[in-house]
Amino acid sequence: MSLHAESPGRAPTAAVIGLGSMGFGMAQSMKRDGLEVVGYDITPAAAERFAAEGGRAAATLREAVHDADVVVSVVVNAAQTEAVLFGADGVAAAMKPGAVFVSSATMDPAIARRLSEQVEALGLHYLDAPISGGAARAAKGELTIMGSGSPQAFAAARPALDAMAAKVYELGDAAGTGAAFKMINQLLAGVHIAAACEAITFAAKQGLDLEKVYEVITASAGNSWMFENRVPHVLAGDYTPLSAIEIFVKDLGIVQDMARSERYPVPLVAAALQMYLAASGAGMGRDDDSSLARLYAQLSGAKLPGQNKEPDKA
């Protein structure tokens, strides 16, 4: 959609906090759609890259959000989100009245509810808006956003949401619901990656042609989106991090904590989490999550493509 057709006056201003692989693409998508976008990242090189691509980079968090109608936080977890809001340079004290804070981090729903209450007590809006789709879709403005919050929060965030996402689900009028939906997604994603890595390494142990295994499985009932997306990393022997092992150490840990509080059994999550923990403990925590295949290979003696190739840390 074009903002100019809807907003003949000043274009909405968005601040993006966190210009990593996801946040950079989200900022670029908003800029492409006509928003005025200011970016901030704790790493100066990330902010410089955004400025080089035509964006405006801020030197501090508060500078980034001072004039923003929408503040999109694309950090890793609840602790970082809380620091962005209420830390030493926290944005909650600098945002203008009526602005909306859009939280994209994956977190426990209870924490999302607490942060929402704190933000809204200051005369601001809070949208619980975890994301799915990966860096490529972020760059195209084709994310899926699982949103929950007040109608006012959705209305304030709408220009940014429409620019960043192909699908925006409005899942409820209270923060925490979006976070809960995201945790269901992460439960499945984490288990499916583990299953895909287990399967392709088992195929290697059997001496099968892995390229042919990929071709057959992706045309068969055993296929999954994660098998189709992650196994090519294994076939290429390239574990450059697109989504790191540590993400699922965190996310499946949250799922397990949520389930324990509800006295709900999650045995598949528990098994998958142990594999991510083992991979992290083996030094692969910052590598791509398809590195679970490397762990299975180490445990079994299976031979995978490019086994001696180190992941690109650049």
Side-chain angles (χ1 to χ4, degrees), residues 70 100 102 125-129 145-162 168-174:
V70 184
V100 58
V102 179
H125 301 297
Y126 183 100
L127 194 68
D128 177 21
I145 294 179
M146 305 167 217
S148 65
S150 69
Q152 294 86 351
F154 272 107
R158 182 59 58 188
L161 298 176
D162 287 347
V168 178
Y169 288 101
E170 299 188 21
L171 301 170
D173 60 4

Side-chain angles (χ1 to χ4, degrees), residues 108-147:
D108 187 308
I111 298 177
R113 288 190 288 271
R114 175 174 61 79
L115 293 178
S116 175
E117 290 171 1
Q118 292 176 264
V119 168
E120 290 174 357
L122 299 174
L124 305 168
H125 301 297
Y126 183 100
L127 194 68
D128 177 21
I131 55 180
S132 182
R137 291 185 187 178
K140 295 177 182 177
E142 296 177 354
L143 290 172
T144 295
I145 294 179
M146 305 167 217

Side-chain angles (χ1 to χ4, degrees), residues 36 103 108 124 141 146 219 257 304 311:
E36 296 290 333
S103 174
D108 187 308
L124 305 168
M146 305 167 217
D257 288 345
L304 294 174

Side-chain angles (χ1 to χ4, degrees), residues 156-252:
R158 182 59 58 188
L161 298 176
D162 287 347
M164 295 186 293
K167 294 182 180 179
V168 178
Y169 288 101
E170 299 188 21
L171 301 170
D173 60 4
T177 305
F181 270 81
K182 179 62 184 291
M183 296 320 304
I184 301 302
N185 181 78
Q186 295 307 89
L187 182 162
L188 290 164
V191 169
H192 286 172
I193 291 167
C197 291
E198 183 173 300
I200 198 66
T201 313
F202 187 49
K205 185 68 174 176
Q206 304 303 307
L208 302 180
D209 179 334
L210 298 188
E211 297 280 354
K212 184 60 69 174
V213 170
Y214 181 75
E215 178 185 343
V216 171
I217 296 303
T218 55
S220 302
N223 190 34
S224 68
W225 192 93
M226 285 301 186
F227 185 94
E228 195 161 340
N229 183 266
R230 297 307 204 266
V231 168
H233 304 179
V234 179
L235 301 183
D238 184 356
Y239 300 95
T240 302
L242 300 179
S243 174
I245 287 284
E246 287 294 344
I247 290 175
F248 283 100
V249 170
K250 170 181 71 76
D251 289 357
L252 293 189

Side-chain angles (χ1 to χ4, degrees), residues 41-83:
D41 196 279
I42 195 170
T43 304
E48 290 166 8
R49 178 189 173 209
F50 182 62
E53 294 287 335
R56 183 156 62 94
T60 68
L61 280 170
R62 293 192 179 188
E63 178 189 333
V65 307
H66 182 70
D67 294 318
D69 303 296
V70 184
V71 176
V72 182
S73 175
V74 198
V75 296
V76 173
N77 55 29
Q80 289 186 8
T81 303
E82 189 157 15

